[in-house]
Amino acid sequence: QSPLAKYLYSVTPEPNDPAVNPLVAENYWYQAPNNRLEWTTTSRVDHRLSDRDSLFFRYTHGVRDTYAQSGNNNSPTTLDRSANGTWRPIRDNTGVASWTHTFSPTFFGETLATIGVEDLNFINVGDDKKWADTLGLPNPFNEFGFANITSTGFGMEYITAANRRNSIVHIWNFDENLTKILGRHEFQFGGRLRHEKLNILPDQQQVQGAHSFNGQFTALYDPKSGSAYSGTPFTGHQSADLFLGTINSYSAQFVRKWYDMSAKEFALYFQDNIKLNSRLTLNFGVRWEMYTPVRETNNYLTGFDPKTKSIVNGADWDTMYKIGATMPQIVKAFTDMGVPFITPQEAGLPKDLMYLNKWDFNPRAGFAYKLSDSGRPIVVRG
């Protein structure tokens, strides 16, 4: 008996319907957990400093915790909680501070500062240990988490229930909105500064390795097939291969880890609301916006140049190897297939791989016309 099979059998729940052959139907029945705790608290304070100034502050904290048994064939969580279970903790925090000031009866403004932080996480039972090393399985990328072991022949599978991933987003906004009334005109103008920081761990799919069995190692050889690998039908079994530790299929994927990205927004706007008479109001305005390209701290974002049909790397190979963005073996595999790699400069691109548009203007024109002055007036807007 292989050490792998011995361990897996030791952490598999005992049948509670032993009269059923597990090779024919399920022989274990249970209630699978799917638990969620969710709550939100909000606190707000309003304060009037004077006839001209007022403040308010608001803070919101949200929590969502989910635990679920997850796996193919409804496999239960192992007895040692190493496989077939996933947590999804989510944390949201937002804060707002606002100051409204009246300069005069015809001129007033609002200063608004906001911050939002979201931490969206997917983790699994067993993610704190390098299980492939413990079980004597390949671990070419030195990964944590339980290796996927499927097609065992008796209905039970052992997997990392969800791809480990994480998204931590910070957003800061600073807005200034001013209003000036002058005769028939209502001028609205102001601007925004925005900063976003995005720390992203992409889906870590099959990084721990995936193993499966098909029964070919315990099947009788079929000399009539003409192939050196064909077995006689109805001989051999997946569970027998698992017992001996003979794995039919293995794969592992290399996936990049954390991206440390950021972006900014700058905006200005001006609008004139002109009340021509008691029935007709016209609106004319323009907004200017500038969004900086998303930047990764190590410049290891990757693009594609359709002109030369080349992969464009923002960072050089030494940098990408050092930070674990790729491996020499992977680069060699691509270059052996004839895939060309070029720098952003060779592709005619900036270092961030994206151009900055400084001239994004958005004009606006509108009207509101009141057709009647009755108790239920009809207003047309456009």
Side-chain angles (χ1 to χ4, degrees):
Q1 183 182 10
S2 73
L4 175 63
K6 189 173 183 178
Y7 162 74
L8 293 179
Y9 295 155
S10 72
V11 298
T12 302
E14 292 290 335
N16 53 21
D17 195 356
V20 175
N21 183 343
L23 305 184
V24 178
E26 289 85 357
N27 65 356
Y28 179 71
W29 299 88
Y30 64 104
Q31 289 183 326
N34 189 357
N35 304 322
R36 187 173 80 183
L37 171 66
E38 188 170 357
W39 55 274
T40 302
T41 60
T42 297
S43 305
R44 172 165 171 156
V45 176
D46 291 83
H47 183 61
R48 188 173 181 85
L49 293 174
S50 66
D51 292 339
R52 290 176 175 266
D53 298 281
S54 61
L55 304 172
F56 89 77
F57 303 92
R58 178 184 59 76
Y59 170 69
T60 299
H61 176 64
V63 170
R64 179 176 176 178
D65 286 327
T66 304
Y67 175 78
Q69 171 232 288
S70 179
N72 296 334
N73 293 342
N74 297 316
S75 299
T77 302
T78 54
L79 297 177
D80 63 349
R81 298 180 69 82
S82 59
N84 299 341
T86 181
W87 282 281
R88 187 181 180 184
I90 302 174
R91 299 292 183 270
D92 285 290
N93 293 279
T94 60
V96 180
S98 172
W99 170 38
T100 301
H101 177 68
T102 301
F103 297 92
S104 72
T106 61
F107 185 30
F108 44 91
E110 178 193 40
T111 302
L112 192 67
T114 64
I115 181 173
V117 180
E118 180 183 68
D119 187 343
L120 174 62
N121 201 1
F122 281 81
I123 53 179
N124 302 275
V125 295
D127 273 353
D128 60 341
K129 187 175 179 179
K130 297 179 182 179
W131 280 99
D133 295 347
T134 301
L135 300 176
L137 298 172
N139 190 9
F141 307 127
N142 198 31
E143 290 285 351
F144 287 82
F146 202 87
N148 290 351
I149 301 173
T150 59
S151 300
T152 60
F154 56 90
M156 179 73 178
E157 298 190 343
Y158 311 84
I159 66 169
T160 296
N163 295 331
R164 187 172 73 250
R165 56 194 184 275
N166 200 182
S167 171
I168 305 173
V169 181
H170 295 73
I171 299 176
W172 295 270
N173 282 326
F174 182 82
D175 293 271
E176 184 67 40
N177 302 305
L178 299 166
T179 301
K180 172 65 178 176
I181 299 173
L182 187 62
R184 296 178 178 270
H185 297 268
E186 180 190 63
F187 299 112
Q188 295 177 320
F189 53 98
R192 161 175 285 188
L193 298 176
R194 177 184 179 94
H195 178 76
E196 294 188 28
K197 187 171 178 59
L198 309 112
N199 297 105
I200 306 295
L201 178 69
D203 277 29
Q204 301 297 296
Q205 184 180 34
Q206 285 193 18
V207 295
Q208 308 91 343
H211 313 70
S212 64
F213 306 85
N214 71 351
Q216 74 172 16
F217 292 103
T218 50
L220 298 177
Y221 173 60
D222 183 5
K224 299 178 182 179
S225 66
S227 169
Y229 302 101
S230 293
T232 302
F234 306 109
T235 66
H237 199 270
Q238 296 159 313
S239 61
D241 283 11
L242 170 61
F243 189 89
L244 298 177
T246 51
I247 292 173
N248 163 257
S249 174
Y250 168 77
S251 65
Q253 296 181 186
F254 178 87
V255 182
R256 289 185 181 184
K257 296 301 184 282
W258 286 94
Y259 289 81
D260 181 14
M261 298 186 290
S262 60
K264 295 181 176 66
E265 173 195 351
F266 304 91
L268 296 171
Y269 72 91
F270 177 84
Q271 180 165 308
D272 184 7
N273 303 315
I274 311 169
K275 190 170 184 178
L276 295 182
N277 52 49
S278 61
R279 292 180 181 269
L280 179 62
T281 300
L282 300 179
N283 319 107
F284 298 102
V286 64
R287 183 181 181 89
W288 169 80
E289 296 175 333
M290 183 177 71
Y291 295 90
T292 64
V294 175
R295 183 181 184 277
E296 207 285 323
T297 301
N298 297 292
N299 285 321
Y300 75 17
L301 296 181
T302 297
F304 182 75
D305 180 26
K307 295 180 181 179
T308 61
K309 295 180 174 57
S310 304
I311 294 178
V312 185
N313 285 329
D316 58 71
W317 291 128
D318 288 339
T319 300
M320 297 184 77
Y321 296 152
K322 183 178 180 180
I323 61 180
T326 189
M327 302 171 67
Q329 300 94 317
I330 296 175
V331 175
K332 183 179 184 302
F334 276 98
T335 53
D336 287 348
M337 290 187 291
V339 177
F341 293 90
I342 60 176
T343 65
Q345 292 75 18
E346 291 172 321
L349 294 171
K351 192 174 183 179
D352 295 330
L353 304 183
M354 288 172 276
Y355 291 106
L356 173 64
N357 178 14
K358 299 180 180 179
W359 310 107
D360 186 3
F361 288 94
N362 305 278
R364 177 185 177 90
F367 72 93
Y369 184 72
K370 185 162 62 174
L371 296 176
S372 66
D373 291 322
S374 62
R376 296 181 177 179
I378 299 175
V379 179
V380 178
R381 304 179 188 274

